[in-house]
Amino acid sequence: PVLGVIPMLAKNASMEAALADVRSAFSEAYRSVRTALQFSTSHGVPRSLLVTSTSPGEGKSTASLTLARNFTELGKRVLLIDADMRKPSLHKKMAMENAIGLSNYLAGAVPLTDALRYTDIPGLTVITTGPLPPNPAELLHNDNMQILIEHGVALYDLVIIDGPPVMGLADAPILG
């Protein structure tokens, strides 16, 4: 089922400005998707969501971040994970360092607490990708990813995974 339709912003338009204007079509569209998600199951919003698309550049990171922000506005605690280990962008959108993140945790190099990044948005915690691995699909397929999602669902109201595109890669189906 279609959860909503998000309009494309004009080339010179700022996402921040569009979201700040509660009457903008962009802002309203994301609130509509949030509401659709709240009614998508008999128990409300699914505890974890994977945001993906067919191709690169279709707005997965923007959608993931905007949905995360929209749910924190309702008082929800959200864990947002950038799992696009080939072309990550969430750290850029949030002006965060990306030296340590998901790849480090999945490889067993750091504990989960070292990968968590607390933001100035109340209720939002982020895990960036960290260094890009040579073998993203293998890393995403290991048991630590399942443990991370289970841990996230136990500690947060919602886990949103900013995933890679589906076409031509094993990464998104593995995450799904």
Side-chain angles (χ1 to χ4, degrees), residues 10-65:
K11 288 188 181 195
N12 60 348
S14 153
M15 179 183 84
E16 295 299 329
L19 290 173
D21 178 2
V22 295
R23 293 184 177 190
S24 75
F26 189 75
S27 182
E28 183 59 36
Y30 275 106
R31 284 195 305 279
S32 293
V33 171
R34 179 187 68 192
T35 301
L37 283 167
Q38 289 173 301
F39 293 105
S40 66
T41 72
S42 60
H43 61 277
V45 178
R47 297 296 310 274
S48 61
L49 299 171
L50 170 63
V51 177
T52 187
S53 69
T54 56
S55 304
E58 292 182 323
K60 294 174 291 298
S61 296
T62 298
S64 298
L65 177 56

Side-chain angles (χ1 to χ4, degrees), residues 102-175:
L102 182 62
S103 62
N104 304 97
Y105 166 74
L106 294 178
V110 300
L112 180 56
T113 54
D114 287 358
L116 298 172
R117 299 285 173 261
Y118 300 98
T119 70
D120 58 354
I121 301 168
L124 180 60
T125 304
V126 173
I127 299 176
T128 61
T129 59
L132 299 184
N135 55 348
E138 289 176 29
L139 208 52
L140 291 169
H141 201 276
N142 90 31
D143 292 339
N144 284 343
M145 189 67 200
Q146 183 66 33
I147 292 167
L148 171 59
I149 295 169
E150 290 170 2
H151 181 77
V153 166
L155 295 177
Y156 294 86
D157 298 311
L158 177 61
V159 176
I160 299 177
I161 302 170
D162 178 16
V166 174
M167 299 300 283
L169 302 173
D171 305 12
I174 287 169
L175 287 167

